[in-house]
């Protein structure tokens, strides 16, 4: 095999109370990364479509992630990389993560799979470090593994997936304004009160238990966050209005996707999901803000070869 084309899905991370530790991939939306062998030892980005991104290999997340993988193997093979992006960075849908994941998954295939999916996650995290200043795993891990993913610990890295209700639908609302993750991380508090901690731990337990026992009311009650959302919602135009539209239309819960500006709601039937989608979409349309909205299931496949 001399070349491989990989699809890596976009993701929703944090999922309310799980800042930097919860995430899941979406269906049908993601990056395509084409990687081919070279005869020399260079990494070369041939083309990036769908977003204006650096082709400088020290700055591009895909090549930063590939380099981390090659360093771990003490390998100096060269590759050409082309990336077709579905969504630009700064969307809150794990755009940089898809490129890093697709790139390391493809190179791993071309090297005859020295690493498992889970073992590839730390390399993709290096891409996140270069784009947001922190090697967070809550976008790369779900994009790589598929399914509802938990990062129980960063040091040592302990990542696993949990079951979730099959009927669970995600309504995604992406107003086309940019929120840089690096900035959205900087504005967060560095400490939280014991009171907020207690609330967060309760919600975290409630959300995971609700997902694992198909208890939609419990999922909804737990989909709140006292740490990131109160600060970040100010960066998202019409946040309160969109939330009100979703909840009026019987969303199970509503919150920010990653660091925003995308928000999402959970629903458990497609008719309700469509009502939520169109009412949230209208809020932005009415205010002259370009918006992309769609309904997706949780993707269980993760990165794969096309
Ligand atoms: N967990 C990260 C954050 C996700 O909230 O900063 C970035 O998309």
């Amino acid at each position: 095999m001399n070349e491989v084309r990989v699809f890596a899905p976009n993701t929703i991370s944090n999922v309310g109370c799980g800042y930097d530790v919860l995430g899941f991939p979406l269906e049908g939306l993601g990056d395509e990364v084409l990687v081919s062998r070279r005869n020399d030892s260079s990494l070369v980005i041939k083309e990036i479509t769908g977003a204006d991104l650096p082709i400088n290999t020290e700055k591009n997340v895909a090549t930063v992630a590939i380099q981390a993988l090659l360093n771990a193997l003490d390998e100096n093979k060269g590759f050409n990389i082309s990336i077709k992006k579905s969504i630009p960075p700064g969307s809150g849908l794990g755009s940089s993560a898809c490129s890093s994941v697709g790139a390391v998954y493809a190179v791993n295939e071309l090297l005859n799979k020295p690493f498992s999916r889970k073992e590839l996650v730390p390399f993709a995290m290096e891409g996140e470090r270069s784009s947001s200043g922190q090697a967070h795993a809550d976008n790369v891990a779900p994009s790589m593994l598929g399914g509802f993913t938990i990062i129980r610990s960063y040091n040592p890295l302990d990542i696993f997936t949990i079951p979730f209700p099959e009927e669970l639908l995600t309504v995604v609302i992406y107003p086309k304004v940019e929120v840089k993750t690096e900035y959205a991380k900087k504005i967060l508090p560095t400490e939280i009160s014991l009171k907020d901690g207690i609330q967060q731990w309760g919600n975290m337990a409630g959300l995971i238990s609700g997902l694992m026992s198909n208890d939609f009311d419990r999922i909804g009650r737990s989909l709140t966050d006292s740490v990131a959302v109160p600060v970040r919602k100010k960066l998202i135009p019409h946040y309160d209005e969109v939330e009100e539209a979703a909840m009026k239309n019987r969303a199970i819960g509503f919150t920010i996707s990653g660091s925003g500006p995308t928000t999402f709601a959970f629903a458990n039937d497609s008719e309700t999901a469509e009502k939520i989608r169109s009412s949230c979409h209208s809020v932005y349309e009415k205010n002259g803000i370009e918006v992309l909205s769609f309904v997706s299931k949780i993707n269980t496949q993760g990165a794969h070869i096309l």
Side-chain angles (χ1 to χ4, degrees):
M1 193 166 33
N2 279 324
E3 78 168 30
V4 63
R5 188 185 297 274
V6 169
F7 178 83
N10 280 98
T11 44
I12 283 189
S13 58
N14 298 342
V15 200
C17 48
Y19 175 72
D20 273 3
V21 300
L22 298 182
F24 61 87
L26 297 167
E27 282 192 340
L29 193 74
D31 285 8
E32 272 182 44
V33 184
L34 175 70
V35 179
S36 58
R37 294 181 200 282
R38 285 175 64 88
N39 293 328
D40 59 16
S41 59
S42 314
L43 295 180
V44 177
I45 300 179
K46 287 279 176 194
E47 190 183 32
I48 302 177
T49 55
D52 189 15
L53 286 168
I55 57 160
N56 174 338
T57 52
E58 275 163 35
K59 291 201 175 132
N60 188 284
V61 296
T63 35
V64 167
I66 292 174
Q67 194 59 61
L69 184 159
L70 295 175
N71 292 348
L73 290 173
D74 209 9
E75 233 348 315
N76 63 355
K77 292 211 161 73
F79 297 96
N80 290 327
I81 300 111
S82 301
I83 305 171
K84 193 164 136 195
K85 295 205 65 70
S86 57
I87 295 274
S91 62
L93 287 166
S95 169
S96 55
C98 308
S99 298
S100 308
V101 166
V104 292
Y105 190 93
V107 168
N108 193 51
E109 287 291 320
L110 291 174
L111 296 176
N112 295 323
K113 296 198 200 175
F115 297 108
S116 68
R117 275 179 193 264
K118 259 192 198 174
E119 287 168 344
L120 288 173
V121 170
F123 308 131
M125 286 166 69
E126 290 307 312
E128 297 294 69
R129 190 196 304 282
S130 80
S131 74
S132 74
Q134 272 177 42
H136 61 99
D138 54 336
N139 293 110
V140 289
S143 182
M144 181 68 79
L145 304 177
F148 196 100
T149 306
I150 298 180
I151 294 103
R152 188 206 58 83
S153 156
Y154 273 88
N155 191 13
L157 198 58
D158 181 4
I159 299 172
F160 55 92
T161 58
I162 57 159
F164 56 87
E166 221 175 278
E167 316 87 288
L168 193 65
L169 293 171
T170 308
V171 184
V172 181
I173 312 292
Y174 165 36
K176 296 197 179 170
V177 295
E178 187 186 11
V179 172
K180 284 202 191 311
T181 301
E182 193 170 8
Y183 175 71
K185 278 192 172 300
K186 274 195 191 134
I187 60 172
L188 294 184
T190 50
E191 287 175 9
I192 61 167
S193 67
L194 184 59
K195 186 168 155 264
D196 282 348
I198 291 167
Q199 199 177 349
Q200 203 80 353
W201 300 319
N203 281 324
M204 183 62 128
L207 178 60
I208 302 309
S209 138
L211 286 164
M212 294 183 71
S213 61
N214 294 8
D215 186 332
F216 292 107
D217 287 339
R218 190 178 294 161
I219 293 172
R221 289 198 302 280
S222 311
L223 201 68
T224 68
D225 172 48
S226 355
V227 177
V229 171
V231 184
R232 288 176 166 179
K233 69 181 207 172
K234 297 175 191 125
L235 305 175
I236 302 174
H238 307 287
Y239 181 90
D240 290 332
E241 234 181 296
V242 179
E243 177 172 36
E244 199 187 320
M247 297 316 288
K248 252 195 200 154
N249 283 284
R250 298 194 301 116
I252 290 166
F254 174 91
T255 190
I256 301 176
S257 169
S259 50
T262 297
T263 53
F264 74 97
F266 278 141
N268 59 359
D269 71 82
S270 48
E271 202 181 313
T272 308
E274 178 47 32
K275 279 191 192 145
I276 297 167
R277 190 204 62 76
S278 74
S279 63
C280 295
H281 189 103
S282 313
V283 172
Y284 285 118
E285 241 178 17
K286 194 174 75 194
N287 286 286
I289 296 174
E290 202 187 332
V291 53
L292 171 73
S293 64
F294 57 94
V295 177
S296 169
K297 284 190 137 191
I298 294 182
N299 168 332
T300 52
Q301 192 181 15
H304 60 273
I305 295 179
L306 287 172

